[in-house]
């Protein structure tokens, strides 16, 4: 009789453990399925900001300005398209600058090189420069930058 009672208690705890593990697994699966099915819920809100007109950035040239957080962004005319990139190096955060002759972004801190599209070409940077969506509407250049929310006091 005692053995059967112990067995029942053991079974009970084992079912509780299995049930909670199954519940945790299903919750995790549901979370990832929602992330997959509704990816827009993950996106940060952005703001479309007017930058300049296409005739102000000649082919091979770039145009610099500050985003809503004070970070530097450069819009480059590659001759085929306009590309907006952060000028903050992805290694340790130094400012990169456009080398017109070599047509690369160069970080002087540790000799980092990025392609015109911001991809790492050489040096220690671990990932490409942050990029922003560019839209050209009737010769006006807009980019989509992260929205900045301020506390309302
Ligand atoms: S900070 Fe740019 S290469 Fe190190």
């Amino acid at each position: 009789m005692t053995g059967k009672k112990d067995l029942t208690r053991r079974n009970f705890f084992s079912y509780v453990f299995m049930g909670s593990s199954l519940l945790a697994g299903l919750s995790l699966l549901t979370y990832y399925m929602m992330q997959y099915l509704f990816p827009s819920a993950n996106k940060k809100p952005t703001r479309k900001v007017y930058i300049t007109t296409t005739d102000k950035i000649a082919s091979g040239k770039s145009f610099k300005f500050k985003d809503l957080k004070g970070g530097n962004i450069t819009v480059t005319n590659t001759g085929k398209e306009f590309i907006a990139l952060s000028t903050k190096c992805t290694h340790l955060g130094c400012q990169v600058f456009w080398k017109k002759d070599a047509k690369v972004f160069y970080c002087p801190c540790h000799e980092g090189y990025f392609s015109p599209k911001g991809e790492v070409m050489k040096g220690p940077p671990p990932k490409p420069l942050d990029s922003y969506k560019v839209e050209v509407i009737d010769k006006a250049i807009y980019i989509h930058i992260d929205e900045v929310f301020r506390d309302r006091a």
Side-chain angles (χ1 to χ4, degrees):
M1 192 79 174
T2 310
K4 192 175 182 184
K5 210 173 190 181
D6 286 343
L7 184 61
T8 304
R9 189 180 304 145
R10 192 175 300 139
N11 281 345
F12 172 76
F13 285 114
S14 132
Y15 288 136
V16 167
F17 178 74
M18 284 190 296
S20 54
S21 298
L22 185 65
L23 190 64
L26 284 173
S27 300
L28 201 59
L29 181 68
T30 304
Y31 171 77
Y32 282 113
M33 283 189 65
M34 294 303 280
Q35 297 277 317
Y36 178 75
L37 293 174
F38 304 104
S40 61
N42 301 329
K43 286 185 183 171
K44 286 183 187 174
T46 59
R47 180 183 291 203
K48 186 170 152 182
V49 178
Y50 169 77
I51 305 303
T52 187
T53 53
T54 53
D55 59 326
K56 297 276 180 4
I57 311 174
S59 181
K61 301 266 182 177
S62 63
F63 179 85
K64 288 183 185 170
F65 65 97
K66 291 199 180 287
D67 68 9
L68 299 175
K69 295 177 188 169
N72 293 315
I73 296 178
T74 182
V75 177
T76 306
N77 180 353
T78 65
K80 293 178 183 169
E81 62 184 331
F82 291 92
I83 297 172
L85 298 168
S86 166
T87 59
K88 186 178 177 184
C89 181
T90 56
H91 181 221
L92 294 176
C94 291
Q95 287 297 303
V96 301
F97 64 90
W98 178 245
K99 275 190 148 186
K100 194 169 57 177
D101 304 337
K103 293 192 172 156
V104 293
F105 287 101
Y106 172 67
C107 180
C109 291
H110 309 101
E111 303 278 316
Y113 288 87
F114 299 89
S115 75
K117 291 189 172 188
E119 298 147 344
V120 179
M121 296 172 65
K122 202 166 113 185
K127 60 182 190 163
L129 295 171
D130 289 340
S131 62
Y132 303 88
K133 180 182 169 191
V134 178
E135 248 183 282
V136 179
I137 302 170
D138 295 332
K139 295 187 179 182
I141 300 172
Y142 298 88
I143 69 164
H144 295 254
I145 57 179
D146 293 346
E147 183 64 273
V148 175
F149 295 105
R150 294 202 168 96
D151 293 333
R152 294 179 189 184

